[in-house]
Amino acid sequence: MRYKIIIIFVLLSSHSLSGQDLEQVGEADPVDLSGSLSLQTGYYNTSLSYNRQDPYAFSLMGSAVLSLYGWQVPFNVSYANQQFNSGNPFQQFGLSPRYKWIQLHLGYSSMSFSPYTLNNHTFLGGGIELTPGKFRFGIMYGRLREKQQQLDGQYSSFHMPSFKRMGYGVKLGYGTSSSFLDLILFKASDDTTSLQSSEDLAVLPSENLVLGISGRLQLSNALSWELHTAGSAYTRNLYSRATEDGEEYIPGVIASLFQPRHSSRFSYAGHTSLHLQLKGFSIKGTYKRIQPGFSSMGLYYITGDKEQYTIAPSLRLFQGRVSISGSLGLENDNVKNTKAVTTHRQIGSANFNWNTHGAFGLSLQYSNYQMDQSAALLDLNDTTKIAMVNRNISIIPRLTFRKENKTHQITFFANSQGLTDYNDFTSDMSETNTYTGNLNYSFRNRDNYFKTKTGLNLTRLNTALSQIRRYGITLAVGKGFFDDKLTTNFRTNYSRNEVDGASAGYILGFHFNSGYQLPSGHAFSLMLKVTKNETENMRFSENMARLQYTYRF
């Protein structure tokens, strides 16, 4: 029976083999399969004039890991409401075998050379990483993006046409994990022939060359230094005219490896940090600078036009019972002084945690986000100037009492968050203050598998337009039977809303779930949920039920 299941899942699999050490192949079991199959049916009913879910639902789901001589292949399949999905069979399959200091990447894989060149971008192709001794070498080639044809001549943000994108990268370095220096080259370009009538499309083919340096130096047992930087030459439109002598858009060193065009621009990004690690104390300082427009086709996303200074200390006292940590950062944009104004940000945070030998514990959290602007190319207009501070503080005291297998815990959570706007023209409409308080009590008895929890909550939001208040209560009870093989849980919650002192509705909910686990890997679960909602404009209820069977092998 198990081998029949193996054959079915292999035919439907669509994922990649994780990296495996070939030295362990001979020691591993030839074939092994582990995972689960589940069958689920559900019911939904509402007093609304429309259904927010399907009234009747049915689904079949399976996930498994197939092991072949130590190689692991994860995959999953699902069938829901007459729709079958196996993750596009045979479309994403890859493996990354490893033997001593050699690792291959075949099929769909991802590799990382540095934070600003190639960083865990998925590609379809091949790659190899070699680390004999202190030598560090990596190379990859493959398709970074599949073409996507325009549908019926229509362009929309939901289906943007895209060219097929191919790329390759090389990393050459020397060192160990604690001290190393890597030199990186990455180049990628769009295939202009991959789309029909590509010159008439709203998207344009691009090309990119990135050169990077990545390194780390262990200066002493406690002090280390890191540097990661890259320069990127990016052509936004391959149809644009190539530059001629005297037209300098790209540095000469990169121009020898890259055809500059009138749509080509060069920018760089990088960061460096110094980290001191002592017993009970550490501090790390980081400087980051990313020029506007910096991009690499080996990255999924990066925020440009940013200069940032950050310092982050941490301290542990009294054998770790007290921990204090924080960070302070200064950030600004307009790094090339090409904007009308410069935006400045100051970001600070602090955390305090105290665990006593007794029942008492305390956590404190504070954060401050400040943003303002200064004149750059133009004088600053007071009516549009941004100057605001967002403060957030949380206090979380707790009491925990343990006796044998019984645990009582009382937790109080208080939070205050406020936005202060220093622009006199906008402060009346933008300033807000939010106050939140939660008081919770929980009890667990491991002898008879009984647990309960109750809580009170209150939230108040003050704005220029109104004052909103929400308060409520939650009660939960759970009990296990037959050595906790049968579990039952019930929860009810009630919350009421008020706007400017007048009632604005409520939410009342009841939730029940139960599960039974058999020793042979079979399990059953039942969920029932009833919710009643009332707002200023409408009143409705929703009822849900779900029955599920699961088999784990």
Side-chain angles (χ1 to χ4, degrees):
M1 176 63 183
R2 171 168 289 195
Y3 290 97
K4 290 181 180 179
I5 295 177
I6 291 176
I7 294 173
I8 293 173
F9 271 104
V10 169
L11 292 176
L12 298 175
S13 66
S14 61
H15 293 267
S16 60
L17 278 73
S18 56
Q20 297 296 316
D21 194 336
L22 296 182
E23 292 183 288
Q24 301 177 0
V25 169
E27 303 174 3
D29 294 333
V31 180
D32 185 53
L33 181 71
S34 61
S36 65
L37 288 169
S38 64
L39 178 67
Q40 180 177 289
T41 182
Y43 169 77
Y44 172 82
N45 174 264
T46 179
S47 61
L48 290 168
S49 59
Y50 59 92
N51 288 326
R52 300 203 291 183
Q53 298 182 19
D54 290 331
Y56 301 97
F58 172 81
S59 64
L60 174 65
M61 295 167 288
S63 62
V65 176
L66 174 64
S67 179
L68 301 172
Y69 291 94
W71 300 73
Q72 292 185 343
V73 190
F75 43 80
N76 60 69
V77 293
S78 65
Y79 176 88
N81 293 345
Q82 300 182 352
Q83 292 185 356
F84 179 78
N85 179 18
S86 62
N88 297 323
F90 304 107
Q91 293 301 305
Q92 293 193 8
F93 182 84
L95 64 154
S96 298
R98 182 179 66 251
Y99 180 74
K100 294 185 177 180
W101 45 266
I102 304 173
Q103 182 163 13
L104 294 175
H105 300 276
L106 303 173
Y108 276 92
S109 304
S110 63
M111 298 173 64
S112 181
F113 287 170
S114 78
Y116 303 104
T117 56
L118 176 68
N119 189 13
N120 288 320
H121 196 296
T122 300
F123 64 92
L124 173 59
I128 185 172
E129 293 180 275
L130 307 175
T131 55
K134 294 186 177 181
F135 180 69
R136 299 159 59 92
F137 175 78
I139 187 171
M140 59 75 61
Y141 173 79
R143 188 186 71 197
L144 298 167
R145 186 177 66 189
E146 189 176 4
K147 71 174 183 179
Q148 183 165 286
Q149 198 71 44
Q150 189 166 334
L151 294 179
D152 301 327
Q154 299 296 320
Y155 174 82
S156 73
S157 59
F158 298 101
H159 187 92
M160 295 179 61
S162 58
F163 293 90
K164 181 177 74 172
R165 178 169 293 174
M166 302 295 294
Y168 66 87
V170 180
K171 180 183 76 172
L172 182 62
Y174 183 82
T176 64
S177 59
S178 59
S179 295
F180 65 88
L181 178 64
D182 294 336
L183 303 178
I184 301 128
L185 181 148
F186 175 78
K187 187 175 184 180
S189 62
D190 292 338
D191 182 0
T192 58
T193 65
S194 59
L195 294 182
Q196 300 174 358
S197 303
S198 58
E199 295 187 12
D200 298 328
L201 293 176
V203 294
L204 296 169
S206 304
E207 187 177 30
N208 180 220
L209 172 68
V210 190
L211 299 178
I213 297 175
S214 185
R216 187 179 191 274
L217 181 62
Q218 192 71 39
L219 300 173
S220 67
N221 291 334
L223 187 64
S224 62
W225 172 66
E226 286 190 26
L227 172 67
H228 306 277
T229 186
S232 172
Y234 206 106
T235 297
R236 303 292 176 181
N237 181 11
L238 280 174
Y239 296 134
S240 60
R241 183 173 61 86
T243 59
E244 300 176 357
D245 293 340
E247 297 178 318
E248 296 183 357
Y249 292 89
I250 301 297
V253 175
I254 292 184
S256 62
L257 305 171
F258 180 84
Q259 174 59 65
R261 299 181 180 274
H262 281 268
S263 63
S264 302
R265 293 295 181 270
F266 176 79
S267 56
Y268 68 86
H271 72 266
T272 183
S273 63
L274 195 64
H275 189 195
L276 177 66
Q277 179 72 56
L278 301 174
K279 184 178 180 180
F281 174 77
S282 70
I283 186 170
K284 183 176 183 179
T286 304
Y287 172 73
K288 178 183 290 187
R289 184 182 179 93
I290 304 176
Q291 285 193 327
F294 177 86
S295 185
S296 169
M297 291 184 177
L299 308 178
Y300 284 110
Y301 178 79
I302 188 170
T303 302
D305 196 10
K306 178 169 64 176
E307 185 177 33
Q308 186 181 75
Y309 304 83
T310 306
I311 185 169
S314 66
L315 179 67
R316 298 178 65 87
L317 302 171
F318 307 112
Q319 298 178 340
R321 293 196 303 273
V322 174
S323 62
I324 305 171
S325 63
S327 67
L328 176 64
L330 303 177
E331 181 182 310
N332 63 270
D333 64 356
N334 199 21
V335 298
K336 298 185 72 173
N337 197 30
T338 56
K339 291 184 176 180
V341 297
T342 301
T343 301
H344 305 271
R345 299 177 180 87
Q346 291 121 43
I347 306 169
S349 66
N351 298 279
F352 173 85
N353 192 60
W354 179 25
N355 291 310
T356 67
H357 285 302
F360 180 73
L362 176 66
S363 295
L364 303 174
Q365 299 170 354
Y366 174 79
S367 65
N368 181 292
Y369 178 86
Q370 181 175 340
M371 181 168 61
D372 57 20
Q373 292 180 319
S374 62
L377 296 180
L378 299 177
D379 292 335
L380 202 57
N381 190 333
D382 289 340
T383 61
T384 59
K385 177 183 177 180
I386 298 176
M388 58 180 61
V389 176
N390 192 329
R391 298 183 180 89
N392 190 311
I393 184 169
S394 298
I395 303 175
I396 314 171
R398 57 191 178 273
L399 290 171
T400 305
F401 304 95
R402 294 185 177 91
K403 185 178 181 181
E404 296 178 349
N405 289 326
K406 298 180 179 64
T407 302
H408 300 262
Q409 186 173 62
I410 302 173
T411 305
F412 178 71
F413 172 82
N415 174 266
S416 174
Q417 181 177 352
L419 174 65
T420 304
D421 189 347
Y422 292 101
N423 187 323
D424 295 334
F425 295 92
T426 60
S427 59
D428 290 342
M429 299 299 294
S430 61
E431 290 192 340
T432 63
N433 289 283
T434 305
Y435 306 95
T436 303
N438 295 324
L439 178 62
N440 295 290
Y441 165 76
S442 64
F443 169 74
R444 177 184 291 270
N445 187 342
R446 292 178 175 81
D447 290 330
N448 60 4
Y449 310 106
F450 175 79
K451 59 183 179 181
T452 183
K453 181 178 181 180
T454 184
L456 302 172
N457 60 82
L458 171 65
T459 300
R460 190 177 70 184
L461 171 63
N462 298 329
T463 70
L465 299 177
S466 61
Q467 183 181 95
I468 302 173
R469 187 171 68 165
R470 170 179 288 185
Y471 53 92
I473 184 172
T474 300
L475 175 64
V477 178
K479 182 71 171 73
F481 303 91
F482 310 117
D483 292 331
D484 212 27
K485 293 183 177 63
L486 174 63
T487 59
T488 57
N489 296 279
F490 174 79
R491 184 180 75 250
T492 181
N493 59 278
Y494 174 81
S495 62
R496 176 168 287 277
N497 300 323
E498 293 181 356
V499 178
D500 295 330
S503 176
Y506 68 89
I507 300 175
L508 176 63
F510 301 93
H511 187 279
F512 173 81
N513 67 78
S514 178
Y516 186 70
Q517 181 74 45
L518 295 172
S520 56
H522 301 273
F524 299 88
S525 64
L526 172 67
M527 185 275 291
L528 303 173
K529 184 177 181 181
V530 177
T531 305
K532 294 185 179 296
N533 293 267
E534 181 183 292
T535 67
E536 294 179 278
N537 303 319
M538 61 189 305
R539 176 186 297 180
F540 65 96
S541 62
E542 292 181 296
N543 307 306
M544 286 180 281
R546 185 180 68 229
L547 180 63
Q548 180 171 314
Y549 161 76
T550 302
Y551 172 62
R552 293 182 174 84
F553 50 90

